[in-house]
Amino acid sequence: MQASEEAWQNPSSPHRAGVRVGLRLKAARDKVAMVLDAAVDRVVFTGGATESANGIVAHLARTLPADVKVAVSPTEHPCVVAAIGANFPRERVVVLPVDSNGVVSERAVQDSLADGTIKAVFVMAANNETGVLQPWNQIAEVCRNAGVTYICDASQWLGKLPGAGLGEADWVFCAAHKFGGPKGVGFLLRPKAETGFRVRPGGSQENGQRAGTVDFPGIAAMVAALLEVEQTKVLHESERLRWREAFEREITRRLEGVKIVAAPAERFWNTVALIMPHGENHRWVARLDKCHIEVSTGSACASGKEAPSHVLAAMGIPGAEMRRVIRISAGWATTAQEWQELADALVVVAPETKPADGGISI
């Protein structure tokens, strides 16, 4: 609010008010660089993760030699998958193998790079549907040693776990609303030596890397939210993880047949994907909604689509089970008592979601 009232001017304007906003914009850039352990001239403010992903992929398509390939995890966010599909022909795209938990191992990346044809690797820091964490720091090292560009979608990571070290990746991007900032704003890190990059062509903002007037109030709100979670919230991750684990023990004990997606894997403290023992997932969502508990059938970016989840398919989960998956996402304000109330509600509504014949079919 303060930035909207005091710093609404265009930071590119030459008048004194514009210069003052420009200085505040520089300070915001410094703070982002500090959080990610990155050089400040790598930070580019954007309109969010999708814009960033499209800009990065388009830039790589223009600048990489035509005879090299890119490798991508099959569990990447739809904005990354779509951008790669729009900019690279299929024969230039290698799909990295994942294990049954959806994890891309350091060894899998090493093996994929062995023949020297791959020059860019896309692996997100954490999955938006399952909460599974990827070994992004190890992958960054493998790519660096091989002279290969590493692109890391940190949209889910930031705001839940510390951002320190993410600057080790060549390209990093995120969306502010994932950690409490406003929608329609984000940032990316680009390689320091990269030239000719345009996240959105046609303008002179962000040192010529983006078109459109800089939204400083939005950027200020984003940076304030990022600093708040980094300084006051991510330190409580272990406590929140214990609450999630207690919920998982409770629900698997009380509701026969329920399964946790990627149970053995390291996952976020706030995300649980459950395969329900019966009934179609929309039934569970509707019944829980009547209990004033909001869950989803998948990530917000994918749950509105009719097609099965590409993330769950890559993990080898059968289609019948995919249709019984609900996704639970907590926030920093979620309490241990609310996790318990969710477990109670799932047990209460379970009989209402059963098919008429008592089977597990939808």
Side-chain angles (χ1 to χ4, degrees):
M1 179 66 73
Q2 184 178 2
S4 296
E5 294 176 351
E6 298 178 359
W8 51 267
Q9 298 91 347
N10 189 333
S12 297
S13 297
H15 50 63
R16 284 181 294 175
V19 171
R20 285 195 293 269
V21 177
L23 291 174
R24 294 175 71 166
L25 181 66
K26 179 182 182 301
R29 204 183 307 275
D30 290 341
K31 291 171 183 176
V32 170
M34 176 190 68
V35 169
L36 274 66
D37 288 342
V40 69
D41 56 359
R42 295 182 60 194
V43 179
V44 181
F45 293 120
T46 73
T50 298
E51 179 183 275
S52 298
N54 278 278
I56 292 167
V57 174
H59 175 76
L60 292 175
R62 288 193 306 270
T63 58
L64 287 175
D67 59 344
V68 305
K69 299 177 181 179
V70 299
V72 58
S73 164
T75 64
E76 291 298 290
H77 189 276
C79 75
V80 172
V81 175
I84 291 173
N87 286 276
F88 287 92
R90 286 187 179 182
E91 60 270 18
R92 292 185 62 192
V93 180
V94 174
V95 178
L96 293 166
V98 296
D99 63 19
S100 59
N101 296 315
V103 176
V104 178
S105 69
E106 175 186 4
R107 180 58 183 271
V109 176
Q110 286 177 328
D111 290 346
S112 296
L113 299 181
D115 68 1
T117 60
I118 294 171
K119 294 302 178 183
V121 170
F122 293 80
V123 179
M124 66 199 326
N127 190 263
N128 53 301
E129 292 192 32
T130 64
V132 168
L133 309 184
Q134 298 287 354
W136 56 264
N137 49 350
Q138 298 171 5
I139 292 172
E141 183 177 3
V142 168
C143 291
R144 184 166 54 250
N145 292 339
V148 170
T149 298
Y150 174 42
I151 306 93
C152 182
D153 175 359
S155 299
Q156 296 298 320
W157 184 281
L158 286 171
K160 300 182 185 75
L161 291 171
L166 278 168
E168 295 175 11
D170 297 294
W171 298 87
V172 181
F173 62 92
C174 73
H177 69 274
K178 295 297 185 180
F179 49 81
K183 294 180 176 66
V185 64
F187 65 83
L188 63 82
L189 297 184
R190 64 171 180 81
K192 190 172 182 179
E194 196 76 17
T195 59
F197 172 65
R198 300 289 184 272
V199 66
R200 195 166 74 184
S204 58
Q205 306 297 336
E206 290 299 285
N207 296 317
Q209 296 171 105
R210 187 174 188 265
T213 302
V214 173
D215 175 15
F216 175 72
I219 291 169
M222 171 179 68
V223 174
L226 180 61
L227 292 178
E228 181 185 5
V229 293
E230 283 282 328
Q231 295 170 359
T232 68
K233 294 181 179 179
V234 297
L235 301 175
H236 302 291
E237 180 265 339
S238 296
E239 178 187 47
R240 298 306 197 276
L241 183 59
R242 288 194 295 271
W243 296 353
R244 191 214 75 198
E245 291 172 341
F247 162 79
E248 291 176 345
R249 290 193 298 269
E250 178 85 355
I251 196 60
T252 52
R253 179 181 65 84
R254 295 175 61 189
L255 192 56
E256 184 179 358
V258 70
K259 293 189 288 188
I260 298 165
V261 175
E266 190 175 5
R267 292 173 286 124
F268 276 139
W269 54 267
N270 79 315
T271 305
V272 183
L274 294 178
I275 302 175
M276 307 313 293
H278 56 251
E280 194 258 353
N281 50 17
H282 287 282
R283 291 188 181 188
W284 290 89
V285 171
R287 269 44 171 207
L288 289 171
D289 194 48
K290 292 180 179 179
C291 300
H292 307 289
I293 296 174
E294 298 173 357
V295 299
S296 179
T297 57
S299 72
C301 300
S303 57
K305 299 178 181 178
E306 294 297 326
S309 163
H310 71 284
V311 172
L312 301 181
M315 296 166 64
I317 295 176
E321 291 191 352
M322 285 190 212
R323 294 190 291 273
R324 301 202 306 273
V325 171
I326 64 171
R327 178 181 180 269
I328 298 156
S329 183
W332 286 111
T334 304
T335 64
Q337 178 60 31
E338 287 171 327
W339 277 110
Q340 180 64 51
E341 291 171 358
L342 172 60
D344 293 341
L346 285 167
V347 173
V348 168
V349 304
E352 304 172 16
T353 62
K354 285 186 177 181
D357 62 3
I360 63 170
S361 63
I362 64 170

